[in-house]
Structure formats: structure tokens, C-alpha cells
Amino acid sequence: MGGYFLGIPAMRIGVPRETRPGETRVAATAETVKKLAGSGKHEVVVESGAGLRSAVTDADFQAAGARIGTAQDTLGADLVLKVRMPTEGEMPQLKRGALLIGLLNPFDATGLQALANAGVTGFALEALPRITRAQSMDVLSSQANIAGYKAVIIAADEYGKFVPMLMTAAGTVKAARVLVLGVGVAGLQAIATAKRLGAVIEASDVRPSVKDQVESLGAKWVDVPYETDEEKQIAEGVGGYARPMPPAWMQRQAGIIAERAKQMDIVITTALIPGRPAPKLIKAETVAAMKAGSVLVDLAVEQGGNVEGSQLDKIATTPNGVKLVGLTNLPAMVATDASALYARNVLNFLALSLNVKSGEFTLARDDEIVKATLVCDNGAVVPRG
Ligand code: NAD
């Protein structure tokens, strides 16, 4: 297909209400709708109630230039802006030939095949390349930032003591000791948030480049030494992402982390390797050796978890009194800001193809950012390069 979208200059841009359980975010806000509708060329239709859980009312959307419609009005649009992959029920409502932008999970082959069968051209924003030009569209960063913040807030809430050190007339309270494992976007924000609460923090990651960032945030780096050149080379990762480490390094790491974890009050784990199960960083015996009242928040639980025993969408207490938090979709718990940032990411991505002032739309197929995110193209799944 060439540059022009169905050869039609005017599109209907649809923003459905997210229907997956617990999904409170929305793919557009009044701020982004104003820009999308600003040229007067395109009609923006928002499903009634779509923004309510993110504190954007139908009236706000209308004031920004949107029409309020039904699920079918929005899912059947020429360009559909979503947060999550359409559900089985939503899929048949998509229009063949429509464009769809969202968190479409580029590693979910079954989901992508269903999308391809629906005849949709889909862009998975998780697949954005980590290049400077794509930073303003980087949904993984914007949402991981929020998850890292919320993980600390949840941990502090589940922890039965103060986080900061306090000197009171009734005696002194010690500062909580926090360990952050995996220091990408979420981990860095977890360190920064725990610091603001007054915790004493240690952190570790497989990528050696992270050490300086950890120390500049006032946390102590927990070093897991490399014993071979191969280990060192794998640890550098690719494109900003980690790679699976050899078993010998993982074993060394487990030993060091087990020792540190016993001293900790709060542990936040965020370690991920794209397209693979999350690395196991904390063994069951380490959890069993931790102090009663300690809290572990496992942000990788959806990918199998960094902590042995953490359970999906549950807060469990072990026999030795350690709380294992396996809650998922933490950004949805900070829905207003999560939606505001996500909607801006979507708008910035769209701006590669859409001139918001003139309304001219030419799908930027040759742009490396657009190319990298294209997962389904007119009825076929695009093989990942
Ligand atoms: P991620 O969510 O994929 O992983 C989280 C962290 O887990 C990473 O730091 C990773 O190294 C770590 N990890 C993986 N396996 C581990 C193990 N066995 N032990 C310990 N830690 C382990 O990563 P992310 O947060 O999306 O970001 C990764 C990097 O990319 C960051 O340095 C970030 O600053 C960078 N980034 C760059 C851009 C850009 O330039 N456009 C945009 C976003 C992020």
C-alpha cells in the first residue's frame, strides 16, 4: 500500500473505552484530542466513559473537539487508538483496513494472528526502537517510570514501619533498607522515590553501565563480578536491553543477593529480558531467610517473576511473615498521569505520519520507527526482524 491512507483525506479517529479487567487508562486525553481534532479534517470519536477512570470526562473530550460515541463507533474507526490489545469481543468490531495503535504485545503470536485475521494494520508501541528520536513516544519508559514509583508506594503501604529514620521523644526509628534489582527505567524511579521517602538503598543490575546512575541517585551499588570476557560481553546487553546471563553468573548473583536480601526491609525487582521469561533473582530459600515484615514487590510477575513464590495479582504472606506483592499493571493504579503520558506518546508517534496543523496524513512507512512497530499489515503478521 502506498503513502495515502485509503486515499481519503478525512479519517475517523476512534478512542474506545478499555475493557480488560483492571485497565483504567485511556489512549487519548482532552489535551491530545484537541490536537488530533485541531485541523478540522478528522473526526475524533471517544466512547462514552472512556476517560472517566483517568479523570477525563465526556464533557472534557467534547470541549476538546471530540464527539462522544459508542464502542462500535470508536472500534469501527479508520484509525483506532487503544491502550491494550483488543479483546476477542472487540476484534470483530474493527474495520478491515483500519489502522490500530496500542500496546499490542509484539511477542504474542496468537494475538497478532487474530489481529491480522481482522484485516487490521497494527502498530505495537512496545517495539519502538530505543533511539533518541523515539524517546517522546516511548511507552515502555513512560509507563515503567510510573510502575517504579507506584511499586515503592505499595511497598511502603504494605510495610508495617516507617520508611524514613525518625528521632522522636519515644525513641529512634531506623530508616528502612531497600534493595532494587534491575535498574532500568522502573528501577531508577524506584530508587528515586525510595530516596525521597528517606530509605537507605542498595541496587544491582546486570548491565555495568548502570552503576554510575545508581550511585548518582544516592544508592549503593551491589556488584556481581564477571569472571570471564564472555560474561562481561553478554552483560553489556543490546539496544539498551539485557540479555540472559550464563548460569555461572546467575548463581554468583543469587548468592550475593541472598546475603543482601536478609538485611533488607523492602525489595523491589524489575528485571526483564524482552521476549523471554523474567530472570529468577530471588530464590524461595532467600525469601525464607528474610526478616518477618519485609516486603518484596515483583514487577516482573507477569513475565514469570523475579521472585520465587510471587503470585500474579496477589499479595501473599509467607510462613516466615514476608509479604510477596505480585500486583500487575501498576501504571493503571496511577491512571490519570499514566494516560496523560501514554496519550502524548501516541500523539508523538502519530505525528510521524500526521501533520496536526494541516490534517494531512501520509503513513510514514519508510520511517524506521514506524517500520519497527508494524506488527500486522493488511491481513498478515509482519515477521519480526
Ligand atoms: P527492562 O524493563 O527491559 O529491564 C529492566 C532492567 O532489568 C534492565 O536494566 C536490565 O538490565 C535488568 N536485568 C535484566 N536481567 C537482569 C538480571 N539477571 N539481573 C539484574 N538485572 C537484570 O529495561 P528498561 O527499563 O526498559 O530500559 C533498559 C535501558 O534502556 C535503560 O538503561 C534505559 O535508560 C534505556 N533506555 C533508552 C532509551 C533511549 O535511548 N531512547 C529509551 C528508554 C530506555
Side-chain angles (χ1 to χ4, degrees):
M1 192 172 102
Y4 289 95
F5 176 69
L6 302 174
I8 306 165
M11 299 187 278
R12 188 201 300 168
I13 303 173
V15 182
R17 193 175 68 84
E18 298 293 322
T19 59
R20 290 194 183 263
E23 189 50 80
T24 54
R25 293 170 290 177
V26 62
T29 57
E31 176 192 314
T32 64
V33 162
K34 201 168 178 184
K35 297 209 164 109
L36 292 169
S39 70
K41 284 238 167 79
H42 308 293
E43 183 195 32
V44 182
V45 186
V46 179
E47 183 178 343
S48 180
L52 214 48
R53 292 163 300 175
S54 294
V56 192
T57 62
D58 287 357
D60 293 334
F61 277 124
Q62 271 172 319
R67 170 165 80 78
I68 301 302
T70 62
Q72 180 57 63
D73 288 337
T74 57
L75 287 163
D78 305 306
L79 168 61
V80 181
L81 308 182
K82 288 258 307 126
V83 177
R84 305 286 289 275
M85 174 71 121
T87 59
E88 257 179 54
E90 290 164 342
M91 215 55 103
Q93 301 182 62
L94 298 167
K95 192 169 86 169
R96 294 196 84 76
L99 304 179
L100 170 69
I101 298 174
L103 296 171
L104 305 181
N105 193 355
F107 297 104
D108 172 15
T110 317
L112 293 187
Q113 190 54 57
L115 212 52
N117 295 345
V120 162
T121 295
F123 302 91
L125 293 176
E126 302 98 315
L128 283 161
R130 290 205 138 165
I131 55 174
T132 309
R133 198 163 57 88
Q135 273 179 359
S136 65
M137 314 161 200
D138 193 333
V139 288
L140 288 186
S141 290
S142 74
Q143 305 301 298
N145 199 3
I146 294 173
Y149 160 82
K150 190 66 179 178
V152 174
I153 303 299
I154 292 172
D157 197 28
E158 291 297 325
Y159 183 50
K161 301 184 194 174
F162 279 115
V163 175
M165 194 266 273
L166 288 180
M167 290 197 324
T168 77
T172 301
V173 173
K174 277 195 195 162
R177 301 186 72 103
V178 173
L179 175 64
V180 176
L181 297 176
V183 193
V185 179
L188 281 176
Q189 184 55 256
I191 295 175
T193 305
K195 191 79 192 166
R196 288 181 200 117
L197 284 180
V200 174
I201 308 155
E202 297 181 24
S204 191
D205 196 289
V206 61
R207 293 176 303 119
S209 58
V210 177
K211 179 175 185 268
D212 288 348
Q213 296 172 9
V214 164
E215 290 175 344
S216 73
L217 286 172
K220 188 173 165 223
W221 175 251
V222 177
D223 195 41
V224 182
Y226 310 115
E227 285 186 350
T228 64
D229 286 347
E230 189 209 6
E231 283 182 2
K232 204 170 170 185
Q233 201 211 334
I234 297 173
E236 301 285 345
V238 269
Y241 289 114
R243 289 194 284 165
M245 288 300 284
W249 187 90
M250 291 296 291
Q251 214 170 344
R252 219 172 308 130
Q253 181 195 42
I256 292 167
I257 295 307
E259 278 316 303
R260 298 316 309 141
K262 279 186 228 164
Q263 315 295 324
M264 295 298 145
D265 301 301
I266 292 172
V267 178
I268 308 225
T269 67
T270 78
L272 291 176
I273 298 165
R276 294 187 179 252
K280 281 275 179 285
L281 307 184
I282 307 234
K283 308 252 183 242
E285 55 261 39
T286 302
V287 176
M290 286 179 69
K291 293 181 286 188
S294 312
V295 180
L296 286 113
V297 180
D298 186 351
L299 285 192
V301 69
E302 254 178 306
Q303 287 78 20
N306 294 139
V307 181
E308 260 173 23
S310 63
Q311 296 167 53
L312 210 59
D313 288 317
K314 285 214 171 97
I315 301 179
T317 305
T318 65
N320 61 319
V322 173
K323 281 190 185 172
L324 297 181
V325 179
L327 302 181
T328 56
N329 201 355
L330 269 52
M333 297 178 198
V334 191
T336 304
D337 277 331
S339 295
L341 299 182
Y342 182 83
R344 282 189 209 137
N345 291 148
V346 169
L347 181 72
N348 292 330
F349 175 75
L350 257 179
L352 297 171
S353 305
L354 174 71
N355 181 330
V356 287
K357 286 220 168 81
S358 67
E360 190 190 324
F361 183 87
T362 307
L363 186 57
R365 278 182 177 277
D366 294 332
D367 189 300
E368 67 173 311
I369 296 175
V370 175
K371 252 191 218 167
T373 55
L374 183 68
V375 285
C376 287
D377 196 2
N378 277 318
V381 174
V382 176
R384 282 182 64 75

